[in-house]
mmCIF file of all heavy atoms in Angstrom:
data_model
loop_
_atom_site.group_PDB
_atom_site.id
_atom_site.type_symbol
_atom_site.label_atom_id
_atom_site.label_comp_id
_atom_site.label_asym_id
_atom_site.label_seq_id
_atom_site.Cartn_x
_atom_site.Cartn_y
_atom_site.Cartn_z
ATOM 1 N N THR A 1127 130.745 76.476 120.559
ATOM 2 C CA THR A 1127 129.676 77.455 120.566
ATOM 3 C C THR A 1127 130.185 78.857 120.240
ATOM 4 O O THR A 1127 131.126 79.340 120.849
ATOM 5 C CB THR A 1127 128.987 77.484 121.948
ATOM 6 O OG1 THR A 1127 128.587 76.153 122.270
ATOM 7 C CG2 THR A 1127 127.774 78.393 121.931
ATOM 8 N N TRP A 1128 129.506 79.473 119.283
ATOM 9 C CA TRP A 1128 129.882 80.822 118.876
ATOM 10 C C TRP A 1128 129.100 81.850 119.678
ATOM 11 O O TRP A 1128 127.893 81.692 119.913
ATOM 12 C CB TRP A 1128 129.619 81.023 117.376
ATOM 13 C CG TRP A 1128 130.649 80.396 116.499
ATOM 14 C CD1 TRP A 1128 130.974 79.059 116.430
ATOM 15 C CD2 TRP A 1128 131.536 81.060 115.591
ATOM 16 N NE1 TRP A 1128 131.989 78.862 115.503
ATOM 17 C CE2 TRP A 1128 132.347 80.058 114.982
ATOM 18 C CE3 TRP A 1128 131.715 82.393 115.200
ATOM 19 C CZ2 TRP A 1128 133.319 80.375 114.020
ATOM 20 C CZ3 TRP A 1128 132.676 82.693 114.234
ATOM 21 C CH2 TRP A 1128 133.480 81.695 113.677
ATOM 22 N N LEU A 1129 129.784 82.928 120.070
ATOM 23 C CA LEU A 1129 129.190 84.073 120.760
ATOM 24 C C LEU A 1129 129.648 85.326 120.044
ATOM 25 O O LEU A 1129 130.686 85.340 119.383
ATOM 26 C CB LEU A 1129 129.657 84.183 122.198
ATOM 27 C CG LEU A 1129 129.577 82.999 123.160
ATOM 28 C CD1 LEU A 1129 130.735 82.052 122.967
ATOM 29 C CD2 LEU A 1129 129.585 83.539 124.584
ATOM 30 N N THR A 1130 128.912 86.405 120.231
ATOM 31 C CA THR A 1130 129.320 87.671 119.622
ATOM 32 C C THR A 1130 129.474 88.753 120.673
ATOM 33 O O THR A 1130 128.617 88.899 121.559
ATOM 34 C CB THR A 1130 128.277 88.149 118.596
ATOM 35 O OG1 THR A 1130 127.986 87.097 117.694
ATOM 36 C CG2 THR A 1130 128.788 89.354 117.824
ATOM 37 N N ALA A 1131 130.557 89.499 120.559
ATOM 38 C CA ALA A 1131 130.746 90.715 121.358
ATOM 39 C C ALA A 1131 130.667 91.883 120.404
ATOM 40 O O ALA A 1131 131.578 92.102 119.588
ATOM 41 C CB ALA A 1131 132.095 90.673 122.056
ATOM 42 N N ILE A 1132 129.601 92.641 120.488
ATOM 43 C CA ILE A 1132 129.408 93.748 119.552
ATOM 44 C C ILE A 1132 130.002 95.015 120.129
ATOM 45 O O ILE A 1132 129.453 95.595 121.061
ATOM 46 C CB ILE A 1132 127.909 93.949 119.230
ATOM 47 C CG1 ILE A 1132 127.343 92.666 118.614
ATOM 48 C CG2 ILE A 1132 127.723 95.133 118.289
ATOM 49 C CD1 ILE A 1132 125.884 92.783 118.204
ATOM 50 N N ASN A 1133 131.106 95.384 119.565
ATOM 51 C CA ASN A 1133 131.838 96.521 120.074
ATOM 52 C C ASN A 1133 131.888 97.648 119.038
ATOM 53 O O ASN A 1133 132.934 98.046 118.593
ATOM 54 C CB ASN A 1133 133.263 96.088 120.447
ATOM 55 C CG ASN A 1133 133.965 95.326 119.303
ATOM 56 O OD1 ASN A 1133 133.307 94.733 118.457
ATOM 57 N ND2 ASN A 1133 135.269 95.370 119.277
ATOM 58 N N GLY A 1134 130.724 98.148 118.685
ATOM 59 C CA GLY A 1134 130.637 99.206 117.681
ATOM 60 C C GLY A 1134 129.428 98.948 116.787
ATOM 61 O O GLY A 1134 128.836 97.881 116.867
ATOM 62 N N PRO A 1135 129.062 99.902 115.950
ATOM 63 C CA PRO A 1135 127.865 99.738 115.129
ATOM 64 C C PRO A 1135 127.872 98.418 114.349
ATOM 65 O O PRO A 1135 128.899 98.040 113.779
ATOM 66 C CB PRO A 1135 127.911 100.943 114.178
ATOM 67 C CG PRO A 1135 128.682 101.960 114.928
ATOM 68 C CD PRO A 1135 129.710 101.209 115.738
ATOM 69 N N CYS A 1136 126.738 97.767 114.348
ATOM 70 C CA CYS A 1136 126.614 96.431 113.799
ATOM 71 C C CYS A 1136 125.371 96.419 112.931
ATOM 72 O O CYS A 1136 124.245 96.415 113.436
ATOM 73 C CB CYS A 1136 126.512 95.452 114.945
ATOM 74 S SG CYS A 1136 126.122 93.762 114.501
ATOM 75 N N ALA A 1137 125.558 96.468 111.625
ATOM 76 C CA ALA A 1137 124.406 96.722 110.750
ATOM 77 C C ALA A 1137 124.299 95.679 109.651
ATOM 78 O O ALA A 1137 125.301 95.121 109.192
ATOM 79 C CB ALA A 1137 124.513 98.107 110.118
ATOM 80 N N GLY A 1138 123.090 95.440 109.222
ATOM 81 C CA GLY A 1138 122.833 94.582 108.063
ATOM 82 C C GLY A 1138 123.456 93.218 108.250
ATOM 83 O O GLY A 1138 123.231 92.530 109.232
ATOM 84 N N GLY A 1139 124.257 92.825 107.243
ATOM 85 C CA GLY A 1139 124.902 91.536 107.300
ATOM 86 C C GLY A 1139 125.765 91.350 108.538
ATOM 87 O O GLY A 1139 126.012 90.215 108.968
ATOM 88 N N GLY A 1140 126.237 92.434 109.131
ATOM 89 C CA GLY A 1140 126.982 92.339 110.370
ATOM 90 C C GLY A 1140 126.112 91.808 111.487
ATOM 91 O O GLY A 1140 126.497 90.882 112.220
ATOM 92 N N TYR A 1141 124.918 92.341 111.585
ATOM 93 C CA TYR A 1141 123.984 91.867 112.626
ATOM 94 C C TYR A 1141 123.513 90.464 112.266
ATOM 95 O O TYR A 1141 123.305 89.625 113.160
ATOM 96 C CB TYR A 1141 122.833 92.848 112.772
ATOM 97 C CG TYR A 1141 121.807 92.447 113.801
ATOM 98 C CD1 TYR A 1141 122.188 92.003 115.071
ATOM 99 C CD2 TYR A 1141 120.451 92.472 113.518
ATOM 100 C CE1 TYR A 1141 121.240 91.622 116.015
ATOM 101 C CE2 TYR A 1141 119.492 92.101 114.454
ATOM 102 C CZ TYR A 1141 119.898 91.666 115.697
ATOM 103 O OH TYR A 1141 118.965 91.276 116.620
ATOM 104 N N GLU A 1142 123.328 90.180 110.984
ATOM 105 C CA GLU A 1142 122.899 88.838 110.601
ATOM 106 C C GLU A 1142 123.945 87.789 110.975
ATOM 107 O O GLU A 1142 123.608 86.652 111.319
ATOM 108 C CB GLU A 1142 122.623 88.785 109.099
ATOM 109 C CG GLU A 1142 121.393 89.602 108.710
ATOM 110 C CD GLU A 1142 121.091 89.531 107.228
ATOM 111 O OE1 GLU A 1142 121.919 90.055 106.461
ATOM 112 O OE2 GLU A 1142 120.057 88.960 106.846
#
Side-chain angles (χ1 to χ4, degrees):
Chain A
T1127 307
W1128 283 61
L1129 308 81
T1130 308
I1132 300 182
N1133 52 335
C1136 172
Y1141 179 48
E1142 292 181 294

